[in-house]
Amino acid sequence: MSAGLMVWAGSVLLAVSVTGVNDHPLLVAGVAATGVALGLGLMEAVRTQRLLAWLRSPQAQVPQHEEGAWGDLTYRLERILETHRRDLQREKARLAEFLEAIEASPNGVLLMDANEHIVWLNTQAAHHFQLHPVRDLHQRITNLIRQPLFVQHLQSRNTQQAITLPVHDGRSISIMLRTYGEGAMLLLSQDVSERERNEAMRRDFVANVSHEIRTPLAALSGFVESLTVLRLEGGERERVLELMRQQSQRMQALVDDLLTLARLEGSPRPNPDHWFSLDDLIGRVMAEVAGLSAGRHQWHWPEPTGLELSGVESEAHSALANLLSNAVRYTPERGQIALGVQPLTDGSVALHVSDTGAGIAAEHLPRLTERFYRVDGSRSRATGGTGLGLSIVKHVCQRHGGQLRIESEPGVGSVFTLVWPALRVRGGVEQGASDLLGAESALLPWAPRGRER
C-alpha cells in the first residue's frame, strides 16, 4: 500500500472512532478528506526537501528512490547532472591541455583583465618580464613593469604595432598587445635578441663590404682617369699599371673570400667518405706560403705523418692556407713560424700554426672570427688581408665537426689550432707525437715544436 493510501485510511479510522459513522456521515467524510490532503501535502513536502537537498549537493547526497512521477523526475535529474558532470570534466581536460600547449610555446603569453591585473601567464612570459608565475597573479602589471615605453604602449591600447624592449642580461623582447572580451588584454612576447644581432651583423656586413670595395674601386677609377687624361711615359706608366694590378687583385681576393663564405654557409656538412693525404696537403700549402714569405721568415715544418683526413680537401686547404698566410703577414722579418701536427688521445688531430708576431690582446680574441673584424684596420689593409680569413677557417671547422682554438700574448706571438675530429682521421706512422711535431725548436711556451726547413 502506498504512503498516500496509508495516510487516507488512518484519517478515516480516526474520524470514525471520534464521531461515529451513523451520527455524522458528512463530517466523517470531511475529516477524512482533510486528513488525506494534509497527509499528501506532508509527503510532498518531505519529497521536495529530499530532492532539494540532493540538488544542493548531488555528490555528497544519495538520491532517494521514489515511486511514480517523483521517481521519474529524480531519475531524469540524476541523468542530467551526470551528463553535466562528464561535460565539465571533459572541458577541464581540454582547458588543461590548452594551457599545457601554451606553456610549451617559445613565446610569452600573459592575460590581463580590464584593470591591467595579471590573470594568467606562462613560464616564458614570467622569464621575459622577470615575474613570478604564482606570487604576481592579480597584481597590476604596471606596478611590476615600470619601463616608460612599456607603460605608454599598454595605456595606448595599440594593437597594431609591436614594440621592442630591452630586458635583463642585455636581451631584447618584442611585445604585441591584443584585446578580447570586455576590456581584457592579451600580451604576447618574443625574444628577438638573436634576430637583432643577425640584423646588426647583416648591416655591418653590407657596410663593410661596401667600404672594402670602395677603396680599391676609387683607386682604380683614379688611375684610369690619370691614364686617360695624362700622357704617362716609361716608368711612371708602369708604376700606375702595377698599382692598378694590385688594387684589382685586392678586389678579386675580397670577392673570392665572399664567395667562399657563401658556399660554406649554404652547403650541407660533407660526408666522411672522401679521404685525402694530410702530408700532400701540407706540401702544397708549404709551397704557397714559402713564396708569400719570400725568405723573410724562419720556418718549422712537421715530419711526414702518414695521416689521412676525410672531408672536402679544398676547404681544408683554404683553412690551413689562411692560417699560415696570416702568420706570414703579421710576423716581422726574421720571425719564426711553425706548423705542428699533434694526434690527440681521443683520436682527433690538432694542426697548430704558431708565430712570433706582435700577438693579440685578450679582449680581441673572442671576436677574431667575425667577418671584417680587425684588431688594427690600417695594418690589416697594409698587409693585404680581406678580414675574412679567420671567418672562413671557423666555418670550415664547423662544417667538418672540428674546432678552432686561438691563444695569443702581446709581444710574444700567437697559436692558432685547428682540431680535426676523430671520425675524420685515419692512418698514421708508428711514432710518438713528438716525432710528428719535430723536436728542434720551441717558438713559444705553448707552441708546438717543428722541423726547421
Side-chain angles (χ1 to χ4, degrees):
M1 180 181 293
S2 66
L5 292 177
M6 292 177 62
V7 171
W8 177 79
S11 300
V12 171
L13 291 175
L14 178 62
V16 169
S17 62
V18 173
T19 61
V21 177
N22 297 324
D23 295 335
H24 303 284
L26 294 178
L27 180 61
V28 171
V31 171
T34 302
V36 169
L38 290 175
L40 291 175
L42 179 62
M43 290 302 298
E44 294 301 317
V46 171
R47 288 172 172 172
T48 301
Q49 290 300 319
R50 288 176 180 174
L51 180 61
L52 290 176
W54 175 61
L55 290 175
R56 292 190 188 100
S57 181
Q59 295 179 346
Q61 301 287 339
V62 178
Q64 298 290 330
H65 296 285
E66 304 287 352
E67 298 179 357
W70 280 100
D72 185 60
L73 176 62
T74 302
Y75 172 72
R76 293 182 180 278
L77 287 175
E78 186 178 9
R79 289 189 60 183
I80 292 172
L81 288 175
E82 182 62 27
T83 301
H84 173 71
R85 188 181 301 113
R86 287 197 299 267
D87 292 342
L88 183 61
Q89 290 176 349
R90 186 163 51 250
E91 293 303 320
K92 285 183 177 180
R94 288 179 179 176
L95 177 60
E97 185 177 351
F98 176 72
L99 294 178
E100 186 178 354
I102 297 180
E103 189 66 36
S105 171
N107 300 325
V109 180
L110 187 148
L111 306 180
M112 293 175 287
D113 60 19
N115 295 319
E116 301 176 357
H117 293 127
I118 300 174
V119 177
W120 183 87
L121 73 165
N122 67 352
T123 303
Q124 282 295 339
H127 173 68
H128 289 165
F129 297 108
Q130 291 293 280
L131 301 174
H132 194 280
V134 177
R135 186 179 61 245
D136 291 333
L137 289 179
H138 310 299
Q139 299 291 322
R140 192 180 184 90
I141 193 169
T142 51
N143 292 338
L144 304 173
I145 306 174
R146 301 183 179 182
Q147 293 188 42
L149 182 60
F150 175 82
V151 175
Q152 180 182 359
H153 182 71
L154 188 64
Q155 292 176 348
S156 68
R157 299 295 192 270
N158 186 347
T159 60
Q160 302 300 319
Q161 184 179 5
I163 64 170
T164 302
L165 293 176
V167 291
H168 57 98
D169 299 333
R171 306 184 70 84
S172 300
I173 60 170
S174 173
I175 63 172
M176 175 69 75
L177 187 65
R178 291 287 187 267
T179 57
Y180 68 97
E182 298 181 359
M185 289 173 285
L186 170 67
L187 190 65
L188 303 173
S189 60
Q190 181 182 18
D191 191 332
V192 294
S193 305
E194 191 67 25
R195 187 174 69 190
E196 288 199 330
R197 279 195 295 268
N198 291 336
E199 182 64 21
M201 288 177 61
R202 186 191 65 81
R203 289 194 301 266
D204 292 343
F205 177 72
V206 172
N208 285 325
V209 170
S210 302
H211 177 73
E212 293 292 336
I213 291 180
R214 184 185 297 115
T215 302
L217 192 59
L220 280 174
S221 178
F223 292 144
V224 170
E225 183 177 354
S226 298
L227 289 175
T228 303
V229 176
L230 302 177
R231 290 186 176 182
L232 301 178
E233 301 293 341
E236 186 65 20
R237 181 181 180 86
E238 293 298 326
R239 188 184 70 83
V240 171
L241 290 175
E242 176 61 22
L243 292 174
M244 292 177 66
R245 185 187 64 81
Q246 292 176 3
Q247 296 299 328
S248 299
Q249 288 180 341
R250 179 179 173 185
M251 291 180 65
Q252 184 64 50
L254 178 61
V255 172
D256 289 342
D257 283 353
L258 288 172
L259 292 176
T260 299
L261 269 178
R263 185 179 67 252
L264 291 174
E265 291 179 342
S267 301
R269 177 170 292 189
N271 295 323
D273 56 359
H274 176 72
W275 296 89
F276 57 90
S277 169
L278 176 59
D279 295 330
D280 292 345
L281 174 64
I282 292 175
R284 289 194 300 273
V285 175
M286 283 172 55
E288 293 177 9
V289 297
L292 183 63
S293 174
R296 294 179 292 110
H297 305 94
Q298 300 180 37
W299 289 92
H300 305 267
W301 301 102
E303 294 288 351
T305 66
L307 293 170
E308 288 187 329
L309 308 180
S310 78
V312 182
E313 185 175 3
S314 61
E315 294 182 8
H317 179 277
S318 177
L320 193 56
N322 268 298
L323 291 179
L324 287 167
S325 298
N326 283 344
V328 171
R329 291 189 180 98
Y330 301 119
T331 301
E333 190 169 347
R334 306 311 301 166
Q336 300 185 64
I337 303 173
L339 171 61
V341 180
Q342 181 184 10
L344 303 179
T345 55
D346 62 355
S348 59
V349 168
L351 306 178
H352 304 281
V353 175
S354 58
D355 62 64
T356 55
I360 305 166
E363 64 267 21
H364 297 291
L365 296 182
R367 301 191 60 190
L368 280 182
T369 58
E370 294 181 11
R371 298 172 180 178
F372 297 111
Y373 183 81
R374 301 177 188 272
V375 177
D376 185 345
S378 59
R379 187 182 69 164
S380 297
R381 294 186 180 90
T383 56
T386 63
L388 298 173
L390 289 179
S391 183
I392 291 175
V393 176
K394 181 190 71 173
H395 280 81
V396 170
C397 289
Q398 291 177 344
R399 272 174 43 77
H400 289 81
Q403 295 179 342
L404 175 63
R405 302 169 183 168
I406 304 174
E407 301 172 85
S408 189
E409 183 178 339
V412 179
S414 304
V415 176
F416 293 81
T417 302
L418 192 161
V419 180
W420 213 258
L423 62 87
R424 294 182 179 272
V425 179
R426 73 181 183 186
V429 296
E430 296 296 330
Q431 52 190 354
S434 61
D435 295 328
L436 295 179
L437 295 174
E440 296 184 11
S441 173
L443 305 185
L444 302 173
W446 62 83
R449 297 177 181 271
R451 180 174 181 271
E452 189 170 358
R453 294 280 175 86

